Amino acid sequence: MKKILVLALALLMFAMGTACAEKTKYEAEDYTFKNVKIVKLVGSTEPAITGENYYPAVAPVDKVVNYVRADLGKYGKVLQTGSQNTMNTDNRLNKYLKNKVSPTVNLTINVYKMGYDKTWKAPWDETVTKQEKRVAKDEHGNDVIVEEPVQETVHHDGEWEYHCYADVEFLVKDTKGKMVYSVRDSRDRAGQDYDGMLGRICKDFAKDMRN
């Protein structure tokens, strides 16, 4: 068995602020997804996080499913959800699935957090140093331009600061109930665009399913 633990706590300074990512992944050493054609969604959970200034995503599991379906389709795999067989629109793939016994894995999606919050940053003052030019005399009595540091106070108005989150877990079992893959991918960053992070999380998962 092979267990991969990736704890990537990366504080990246962007113009918008900080970003953080943490991922824990497990892969069974004796299993490959190379021949798997059908990934069947057998269960899911959604978060129940509330707060005055927290804005959760609407239908977060559906968002994950839509991303995963599209990304798995790029690798010739089909996502089944419930009783509905969400077949790829490629007729060649549909024909193959109807005439072949395709290896299937069962997928559970757990969404722990998806949305954004906001906090109020009160007005504040900042002392900055700037270079100020002035006219001075050199040793010969000529006018010259010199620069000297001058401190001044800059006032900043109060503002809302936003932070978004995408925390998703994928659990994959074979048809006998053996866990063959799991990953929990948690990301957050400044701003309100959790969809961008979610898209990258789902894309990484689909890439793992192609091997």
Side-chain angles (χ1 to χ4, degrees):
M1 303 290 286
K2 178 172 63 174
K3 193 171 186 178
I4 301 174
L5 294 178
V6 182
L7 296 177
L9 294 176
L11 293 179
L12 307 174
M13 299 303 297
F14 296 114
M16 296 179 65
T18 61
C20 181
E22 181 176 347
K23 179 186 288 188
T24 303
K25 183 165 65 173
Y26 161 81
E27 293 177 305
E29 191 174 50
D30 57 349
Y31 195 88
T32 177
F33 297 99
K34 184 177 181 180
N35 296 320
V36 170
K37 294 296 182 183
I38 299 175
V39 178
K40 184 176 181 180
L41 181 64
V42 296
S44 63
T45 62
E46 295 187 354
I49 302 174
T50 58
E52 181 180 358
N53 291 319
Y54 179 71
Y55 303 87
V58 177
V61 170
D62 289 345
K63 286 180 176 291
V64 176
V65 167
N66 289 336
Y67 274 118
V68 170
R69 178 185 295 123
D71 290 330
L72 287 176
K74 297 174 184 177
Y75 304 118
K77 301 180 189 297
V78 173
L79 178 66
Q80 284 186 350
T81 56
S83 59
Q84 180 183 7
N85 188 350
T86 53
M87 287 294 184
N88 190 294
T89 55
D90 188 338
N91 291 328
R92 292 172 299 174
L93 179 57
N94 291 338
K95 184 178 180 180
Y96 174 86
L97 293 173
K98 290 178 181 178
N99 293 284
K100 300 287 184 179
V101 178
S102 303
T104 302
V105 291
N106 295 323
L107 170 66
T108 298
I109 298 173
N110 297 316
V111 179
Y112 292 102
K113 192 171 186 179
M114 190 185 302
Y116 69 90
D117 58 24
K118 65 178 184 178
T119 55
W120 176 252
K121 185 174 183 179
W124 56 290
D125 293 330
E126 177 186 17
T127 299
V128 298
T129 300
K130 59 183 293 186
Q131 297 296 319
E132 189 173 89
K133 295 180 180 181
R134 67 178 181 85
V135 178
K137 298 290 186 179
D138 63 13
E139 65 272 19
H140 304 293
N142 300 317
D143 290 342
V144 293
I145 302 298
V146 297
E147 292 187 352
E148 58 183 18
V150 176
Q151 287 190 333
E152 65 177 29
T153 300
V154 178
H155 177 75
H156 299 272
D157 294 331
E159 62 181 358
W160 286 104
E161 293 185 333
Y162 296 87
H163 208 87
C164 56
Y165 309 86
D167 185 355
V168 183
E169 180 180 55
F170 299 98
L171 304 176
V172 181
K173 295 182 179 181
D174 64 13
T175 53
K176 295 181 179 180
K178 174 186 174 183
M179 184 74 69
V180 293
Y181 175 95
S182 68
V183 63
R184 180 166 177 178
D185 198 335
S186 178
R187 309 187 188 196
D188 65 87
R189 60 167 296 166
Q192 299 171 260
D193 181 25
Y194 54 82
D195 276 319
M197 294 187 298
L198 178 61
R200 291 186 288 274
I201 288 173
C202 295
K203 184 176 295 184
D204 288 348
F205 167 70
K207 286 181 179 179
D208 286 344
M209 293 296 99
R210 69 180 175 176
N211 296 328

